[in-house]
Amino acid sequence: EDVTFKEMDAVMVFWKDKDVVEYDGLCTFWSDDASRWNGSGCTTHTSPSSPGRIECRCDHLTSFSVLLTPRDEAIVSEALSIVTYIGASVSILCLMLTIAAHVMVKKKRNCAHGRLVICQAAILALFLVVFLTLI
């Protein structure tokens, strides 16, 4: 008996971790031609009864992935702002400690290298202060 194969989709099932249920998934594949993830030829199927399950149906076989995007952009934006303020503040503190250490050590303060470090640290600290006031 002859067996005829019809064109079939490749089906992959991905499970999201319970910590990322608040993210929407998009089935994609890596496009070597465009050097980016591409969703053409793939459909994404989810089910309310299984919130962590993502089923991808694609009409070709390549390297597949599920790209996750947060449902609530405000939460992500707020988190990034907090990280920015904390990171910049810690950087300013460390730059101030660097300046203080170089100013307190006479040998460092009087050599060209020490003065250069003090100037660079001061400029970076000033840049970060301006950056924080503008965002």
Side-chain angles (χ1 to χ4, degrees):
E1 169 180 8
D2 289 337
V3 177
T4 306
F5 292 100
K6 297 188 318 184
E7 187 175 323
M8 296 173 48
D9 288 343
V11 179
M12 284 109 353
V13 176
F14 298 90
W15 290 93
K16 295 188 288 185
D17 189 84
K18 64 182 178 183
D19 296 333
V20 293
V21 173
E22 293 302 318
Y23 287 71
D24 291 323
L26 176 66
C27 298
T28 59
F29 70 95
W30 182 253
S31 171
D32 286 326
D33 297 335
S35 294
R36 65 180 184 90
W37 292 103
N38 189 338
S40 63
C42 295
T43 55
T44 306
H45 302 278
T46 58
S47 169
S49 61
S50 293
R53 184 178 188 273
I54 299 174
E55 182 178 302
C56 298
R57 293 183 178 269
C58 299
D59 59 10
H60 52 281
L61 294 174
T62 53
S63 298
F64 295 97
S65 180
V66 173
L67 300 182
L68 297 175
T69 55
R71 288 188 187 141
D72 189 357
E73 292 291 331
I75 292 173
V76 173
S77 179
E78 182 181 342
L80 290 176
S81 292
I82 291 169
V83 169
T84 300
Y85 281 109
I86 291 172
S89 299
V90 169
S91 295
I92 291 169
L93 175 66
C94 291
L95 289 165
M96 292 299 155
L97 290 173
T98 301
I99 292 169
H102 277 76
V103 167
M104 291 169 54
V105 177
K106 186 175 182 178
K107 183 178 175 185
K108 293 280 188 185
R109 184 179 55 219
N110 292 333
C111 73
H113 177 264
R115 288 191 302 269
L116 182 63
V117 169
I118 292 169
C119 288
Q120 287 178 329
I123 290 170
L124 284 172
L126 180 63
F127 168 77
L128 288 172
V129 168
V130 171
F131 173 74
L132 286 178
T133 57
L134 293 178
I135 60 170

